[in-house]
Amino acid sequence: MTRILICFLSILPFTGVSQTTDNIDPVAISLIDKMGEVIGGMEAISFHLRSVNDDRNQLGLMERTFTAHEVYFRGPDRMAVYNSGDKGSTGYWYNGEYITWYSFDENNYVTLPAPESIIKTIDSVNSKFGMEFPAADLFYPSFGDDLLEYFGNVTYMGIKNVEGVACHHIIAETKTDNFQIWIENGAFYLPKKFLFIKKGDSPSVVEGTFENWDTNPQLPDEIFEFNPPANADLISIMPKN
Amino acid sequence: MKSVSKTLLKIAVPALLLLLAPVELEAQRMGHRSSRSSMSRPSSRPASTPSTRQSRPSTSRNTRSTNTRATTSRPSSKPSVNGGYNKSSRDVSRPSTSTRPATTDRSASNARDRASSSDRNKAVDRSSRDKTSNVTRPGDRGSNTRDRAGDRNSNNRVNVDNSRRGNTNINIDNSRNVNVNRRNTYVRTSPVRYTRPPYRYGGWGFYCHRPYYYHPYRPFYWGPVWHPWGYFVTTMVTTAIVVSIVNDSGQEEEYHYDEGNYYIKTDKGYEVVQAPVGATVNNIPESAEQVQVGDTYNYYYGGAYYDKTEEGYTVVPATAGTIVPALPEGGEEVKAGDRTYVKFGDTYYQPVQVDGKDMYEIVEMKEEETS
C-alpha cells in the first residue's frame, strides 16, 4: 500500500495529473484530519485487519489473495505485526533499534538496524527492501496532505453501513486511481475500511477491513522483541535495485 | 449611555458563553488533547445534508490550541504512534490553516519522541542483538563472504582425514573470510527458452524453469577427500598437480589441484578456493555427477562445473537452468522479496523440488525496468 502511494506520488510530476480541477470537499478533509489526529494522538494501538489484494500474479493472471494481519503499535518506536494468508505467514518485530522480518513458513529471518520511529522504519524498509505493512498509508502523519497532493477530487459520500458499523464514506479519485475510505462514525473516527483501485493497463485492488480496535492497549516491551525459534536461520537480504 | 453599555455587556457575556460552551463540551466528550484538538466534531455527522459541510467551525482550532485548552495540554512524556498528525500543506479554503500553530507542537512532539526513544533504547538488551543480516546485491564485490567463525555448520561438517595425509598439518583457519571470486561465479544464459514468467523483485527478473520450492540451505560435503573453500593446509600433498590459467587481466594464476580441490598458495600455506574457470585437469572424483545443460551435460562436483574435453575436464561457468542436487559451503541465503535464494558471488540458486527431492536451479537474473 505504501509502495503504491509512494509510486503514485513519484510519478505525479510526470503524468501531469491535473490539480487545476480540484474538487476537495471540506467535510471529507475534516474527517480525514480528524481520523489522523486521533491516530496521531494515540500512544499505543492494536487492531486486526483483513486485506484482499487483486493483482497480476507471476503468470500474468489476475489473482485475489487474502491476508489477515494482527498489528500492535506503541509509540514512538515499537511495532509488532503478524501476517497470515495466501502469501504465507510472516511477522515483523521492531524494538526501536532493530527490525526483524521472520518467515514462519521458511523458518528464516532478516534483522536490520532500524530508524528511531515506527513510521521512519516502515518507510525505510519499504523503500529499500519492499517490505509491506498493512494499511501503512493511513498511519502516516502526512496522510491527509498526501491525499490532497495526489487526488484532485476528494468527495464526502455520506454515512454508509459497513458490517453493521455506521461510517463516513469518502472517495478520492484521479483518472488512474481511486481511493475510498470508511471512517467510523463514533467517538474515535477510526478507519473501518479502505479500498485502493489502480485503473488502467495494469489494474490492482487493495482492500482492507479493520476489526478489534484497541485504542489504549497495555503492550509490554517483550512483545516487540524477536526471539529466534529453534533452528531458525539469520539470512541476508537483497535491496531493491 | 453607561446603562446601555452595561445592558449590552450583560447580554453579550452570557451569549458568548453559550456559544462557546457546546464546543468545549464536545471537545471534552471526544477526549481531545489541546495540542491537536484542532477540529470539532463535524456538524454533518448525520451526513445527509450537504449544505452543512461548509459549516466546519474551523476558527475553534485557534481558540482551543492557544487559549482554552492550555491547562490540559498533553504531557511531554507521552509518545505518539506516528509522531503526531501533520497537515502542513493544506490547500483547501479553510481560514484556520494559515494560523494553526501546529508546527510548533509537532516539532516539540518529535523532539519528545526522539528523546523518549533514546532513553528507552538504553534499556534494550543489546547482547542478544549482535547479529544483523548482510545486505547484498547482485554484483556486490566482496559482499558474499562468510565469517567462518560464525558459521553455524563449520564445526561439525568438516571431515579432516589426517590418517590419509600422514603428518601433514591440516586445519581450517576460522579467522578468515571465504571470498567468492566473481569471475568463477558468473552465469551463462540458459540454452532453453523459459516458458515460466520470472519472479520480479526490486528491478530484477529471476528466471527459472521450475517453480520455487523452499528448503533450507544446508551445505553438502562430498566425502572426506573434498574440502570446503577456506580449508587450509600448511604443506601441499605430493599428489597435487599444478594448474595454471590466465585470468581476465592477462596474468597467469597458479593453482594446486588434488582430488577435486583447488588450492592457492598463501604466506602460511595453501588454501582451498573455488575451481577457477578455464582450468583443465586430467580427472575429477568419481562421485562427480552429470547435470543436464540444455542438450548436453556438465559434470558437477564440489560446486564446480566441468566440460569433458579431449584434454580432460575443463572448469566452466554455471549455466542458468541447470539443476544441481546440492550446494557446497560458501553460499549465503538471501531474501529477495518474498523468496529466499542461495547466492555464490554472481550465481543465484533457487530452491526447487524434483521428483520429491530438494534441489537447486541456477537462476538467470535480468535487470528489468521498474514499473
Side-chain angles (χ1 to χ4, degrees):
Chain A
M1 181 72 172
T2 309
R3 183 191 58 193
I4 294 169
L5 193 56
I6 289 169
C7 181
F8 288 162
L9 295 175
S10 64
I11 62 172
L12 180 63
F14 307 103
T15 54
V17 175
S18 174
Q19 299 292 315
T20 57
T21 57
D22 282 1
N23 179 18
I24 308 297
D25 187 331
V27 169
I29 294 305
S30 74
L31 287 163
I32 294 286
D33 284 346
K34 174 69 85 179
M35 180 190 77
E37 290 179 355
V38 168
I39 291 172
M42 288 180 180
E43 294 157 25
I45 47 175
S46 69
F47 60 85
H48 290 184
L49 178 74
R50 286 181 284 114
S51 68
V52 179
N53 287 46
D54 290 342
D55 215 339
R56 292 230 178 267
N57 64 13
Q58 197 187 351
L59 301 173
L61 305 170
M62 282 299 285
E63 181 179 354
R64 171 161 290 192
T65 55
F66 300 87
T67 310
H69 313 271
E70 198 177 322
V71 181
Y72 302 90
F73 287 158
R74 196 186 79 190
D77 56 3
R78 295 290 190 279
M79 174 177 66
V81 181
Y82 298 84
N83 309 303
S84 176
D86 295 334
K87 292 182 177 177
S89 296
T90 58
Y92 297 101
W93 289 262
Y94 166 58
N95 67 358
E97 272 193 298
Y98 298 94
I99 182 166
T100 295
W101 179 14
Y102 175 69
S103 167
F104 289 91
D105 304 320
E106 299 184 353
N107 197 27
N108 57 28
Y109 63 100
V110 170
T111 298
L112 297 164
E116 71 273 17
S117 72
I118 295 169
I119 293 298
K120 283 183 181 175
T121 297
I122 288 175
D123 215 22
S124 171
V125 295
N126 177 267
S127 61
K128 288 179 187 168
F129 305 107
M131 294 185 197
E132 293 184 341
F133 296 84
D137 287 318
L138 307 188
F139 295 93
Y140 269 63
S142 59
F143 174 62
D145 284 351
D146 295 342
L147 199 71
L148 282 176
E149 188 177 343
Y150 181 68
F151 291 98
N153 190 345
V154 182
T155 307
Y156 179 69
M157 301 300 294
I159 294 282
K160 305 287 177 62
N161 191 297
V162 180
E163 299 184 359
V165 179
C167 296
H168 298 283
H169 183 199
I170 294 164
I171 299 178
E173 190 166 68
T174 67
K175 287 180 181 174
T176 55
D177 310 296
N178 176 288
F179 174 73
Q180 300 184 41
I181 187 167
W182 290 260
I183 299 171
E184 289 183 9
N185 185 22
F188 286 91
Y189 289 80
L190 294 167
K192 176 65 181 172
K193 192 181 192 72
F194 68 88
L195 178 65
F196 214 123
I197 303 170
K198 186 172 169 58
K199 299 181 272 190
D201 294 336
S202 53
S204 65
V205 177
V206 180
E207 180 182 331
T209 306
F210 293 90
E211 294 172 331
N212 302 330
W213 278 101
D214 187 343
T215 54
N216 188 27
Q218 297 301 309
L219 304 176
D221 281 347
E222 285 71 22
I223 72 166
F224 305 104
E225 296 290 340
F226 174 73
N227 296 310
N231 302 319
D233 294 329
L234 174 69
I235 63 173
S236 302
I237 188 166
M238 175 178 163
K240 289 160 75 176
N241 197 9
Chain B
M1 193 63 182
K2 281 185 180 177
S3 63
V4 173
S5 298
K6 282 182 180 176
T7 309
L8 279 173
L9 201 61
K10 284 177 183 175
I11 296 169
V13 169
L16 193 62
L17 288 171
L18 281 171
L19 282 171
L20 287 174
V23 177
E24 287 305 300
L25 288 173
E26 188 177 56
Q28 287 173 3
R29 180 164 57 85
M30 294 188 62
H32 288 175
R33 296 183 174 93
S34 66
S35 61
R36 309 208 180 279
S37 62
S38 57
M39 287 188 297
S40 64
R41 190 178 206 118
S43 56
S44 59
R45 191 174 176 197
S48 56
T49 54
S51 61
T52 62
R53 290 179 187 176
Q54 304 301 329
S55 64
R56 184 168 176 265
S58 55
T59 51
S60 65
R61 178 178 292 177
N62 294 332
T63 306
R64 279 186 234 168
S65 59
T66 55
N67 297 322
T68 59
R69 304 286 289 169
T71 54
T72 58
S73 65
R74 187 176 162 197
S76 61
S77 61
K78 288 184 176 179
S80 161
V81 291
N82 64 2
Y85 190 56
N86 179 346
K87 49 178 181 179
S88 56
S89 62
R90 283 288 177 273
D91 200 16
V92 187
S93 56
R94 289 180 294 177
S96 62
T97 53
S98 59
T99 56
R100 180 169 174 254
T103 308
T104 308
D105 285 350
R106 261 198 305 282
S107 59
S109 169
N110 289 340
R112 287 196 303 269
D113 290 349
R114 279 194 296 274
S116 170
S117 168
S118 172
D119 290 344
R120 198 169 286 152
N121 288 342
K122 288 175 186 171
V124 173
D125 179 13
R126 292 161 193 263
S127 62
S128 62
R129 289 294 190 183
D130 55 351
K131 290 189 80 174
T132 56
S133 298
N134 180 29
V135 177
T136 178
R137 65 181 75 236
D140 270 357
R141 190 172 290 278
S143 68
N144 191 16
T145 61
R146 301 195 71 182
D147 181 355
R148 294 183 56 83
D151 191 322
R152 59 182 178 269
N153 294 312
S154 60
N155 291 331
N156 58 2
R157 294 295 192 98
V158 178
N159 190 355
V160 179
D161 184 3
N162 285 324
S163 61
R164 190 177 158 275
R165 294 178 188 271
N167 293 326
T168 306
N169 185 9
I170 301 172
N171 58 62
I172 292 179
D173 184 353
N174 283 330
S175 65
R176 294 166 184 269
N177 284 336
V178 179
N179 291 293
V180 176
N181 186 345
R182 288 179 56 212
R183 180 178 179 275
N184 299 322
T185 60
Y186 76 90
V187 175
R188 296 189 292 193
T189 303
S190 172
V192 181
R193 192 177 70 84
Y194 290 97
T195 56
R196 183 177 295 277
Y199 169 68
R200 291 188 169 88
Y201 164 75
W204 293 92
F206 295 72
Y207 288 79
C208 275
H209 297 293
R210 292 183 173 273
Y212 177 82
Y213 182 88
Y214 180 77
H215 47 84
Y217 165 55
R218 297 288 180 259
F220 183 76
Y221 290 79
W222 275 262
V225 298
W226 178 81
H227 303 303
W229 303 337
Y231 185 90
F232 183 77
V233 293
T234 53
T235 56
M236 182 51 57
V237 293
T238 55
T239 53
I241 62 167
V242 173
V243 178
S244 295
I245 64 162
V246 177
N247 65 20
D248 293 339
S249 307
Q251 296 172 323
E252 191 171 277
E253 290 178 353
E254 192 173 84
Y255 295 84
H256 298 265
Y257 173 78
D258 180 52
E259 301 209 52
N261 303 300
Y262 294 82
Y263 300 83
I264 56 167
K265 192 167 181 5
T266 66
D267 292 341
K268 296 178 181 176
Y270 300 86
E271 182 181 342
V272 174
V273 296
Q274 294 164 277
V277 169
T280 300
V281 294
N282 290 329
N283 56 65
I284 55 176
E286 288 182 358
S287 57
E289 295 181 59
Q290 274 196 332
V291 291
Q292 190 167 0
V293 181
D295 295 332
T296 62
Y297 291 89
N298 278 167
Y299 286 89
Y300 179 70
Y301 179 84
Y305 300 87
Y306 295 88
D307 256 350
K308 192 173 187 328
T309 62
E310 290 181 354
E311 290 79 28
Y313 297 88
T314 302
V315 179
V316 294
T319 305
T322 305
I323 305 281
V324 296
L327 297 174
E329 192 175 298
E332 61 176 338
E333 280 191 291
V334 178
K335 178 78 79 179
D338 297 330
R339 296 190 174 185
T340 305
Y341 297 90
V342 181
K343 181 188 178 197
F344 287 81
D346 282 347
T347 307
Y348 283 75
Y349 290 87
Q350 173 171 290
V352 297
Q353 193 174 59
V354 181
D355 297 333
K357 293 178 182 173
D358 292 342
M359 296 194 176
Y360 294 92
E361 177 176 343
I362 299 171
V363 180
E364 184 160 350
M365 291 188 62
K366 294 180 182 176
E367 208 163 357
E368 300 192 340
E369 286 184 16
T370 309
S371 58

